[in-house]
Amino acid sequence: MSTLLVVGSIVWSTAKVGISPMPSSRKAREVIIRLMANTGTGPVYDLGSGWGGLVIRLAKKHPDRKIVGYEVSFVPWLVSVFFKKTLGLDNLEIHKKDFLLVDLSGADVLVCFLHTDGMRDVAKKLAAEKISNVFLISNYFALPSCQPETAMLISDFYKSPIYRYRL
Ligand SMILES: C[S@@+](CC[C@H](N)C(=O)[O-])C[C@H]1O[C@@H](n2cnc3c(N)ncnc32)[C@H](O)[C@@H]1O
């Protein structure tokens, strides 16, 4: 019964936001960390933090930097909060919220691993709220109508791109 509830909850939120909580691979996380070089020391927001694998890696790597995750899917969010507390990561906050409804102006770096429509929504939000002076690092999916300042390929079978934009 509880397995059904967990699976049902994940399926429901996947249908709602159009993407499952599939984590970035270990190699993708390492490329994201490399692309974060020279982005300052300000807050980093993960738009859709899933099970928390990326935000936990970032919080450990940058103990003096504030790392914030936003996640709508209840079970992955709960698991990520459990690990945050277990690991005592005081520089990490994980909110169960739709990132499209929160103020992103406090971020110095936005990271995401979404999908084509999700990137369109991010682009619309950033433009509508005139958010600038921020880096956006996107795993696999490009930001529409924007030229990345750099891109790196993950050293895996698919050679998937990770883009870094300066907005
Ligand atoms: C592919 S996972 C990526 C997880 C994590 N960022 C990583 O790289 O390992 C995408 C996550 O974004 C979440 N998501 C999608 N749209 C969202 C929204 N508008 N607000 C909050 N979370 C969202 C999904 O629930 C999913 O868990």
Side-chain angles (χ1 to χ4, degrees):
M1 181 64 182
S2 53
T3 309
L4 262 184
L5 280 176
V6 167
V7 172
S9 162
I10 293 172
V11 169
W12 184 79
S13 61
T14 298
K16 195 171 160 214
V17 296
I19 185 158
S20 74
M22 181 176 65
S24 292
S25 67
R26 188 182 54 77
K27 286 182 175 175
R29 291 201 296 260
E30 295 317 310
V31 171
I32 290 168
I33 283 171
R34 280 162 65 193
L35 287 172
M36 275 179 52
N38 306 316
T39 60
T41 54
V44 181
Y45 293 8
D46 185 1
L47 308 180
S49 47
W51 303 96
L54 179 61
V55 280
I56 286 170
R57 179 76 182 87
L58 294 178
K60 284 182 175 171
K61 174 80 183 168
H62 299 284
D64 298 326
R65 208 164 181 177
K66 182 173 166 186
I67 311 293
V68 182
Y70 290 103
E71 177 53 53
V72 283
S73 189
F74 177 73
V75 178
W77 167 80
L78 194 64
V79 169
S80 66
V81 169
F82 170 80
F83 281 110
K84 172 217 146 38
K85 288 191 189 302
T86 307
L87 295 168
L89 295 168
D90 295 332
N91 61 327
L92 173 60
E93 294 173 9
I94 311 177
H95 303 282
K96 194 194 164 298
K97 280 187 181 162
D98 183 335
F99 66 75
L100 293 172
L101 304 178
V102 304
D103 178 9
L104 301 179
S105 63
D108 275 12
V109 181
L110 302 170
V111 294
C112 57
F113 178 21
L114 294 168
H115 54 109
T116 307
D117 289 347
M119 293 308 289
R120 204 171 297 132
D121 292 342
V122 169
K124 273 191 212 156
K125 178 174 173 71
L126 296 178
E129 296 175 14
K130 297 189 170 51
I131 292 176
S132 59
N133 266 333
V134 67
F135 292 95
L136 186 139
I137 298 172
S138 176
N139 185 353
Y140 197 80
F141 294 95
L143 194 62
S145 315
C146 254
Q147 192 63 29
E149 62 170 13
T150 184
M152 290 176 77
L153 300 181
I154 305 171
S155 63
D156 61 6
F157 178 76
Y158 301 102
K159 301 274 176 284
S160 316
I162 301 193
Y163 304 97
R164 184 172 105 171
Y165 300 88
R166 181 70 172 134
L167 305 169

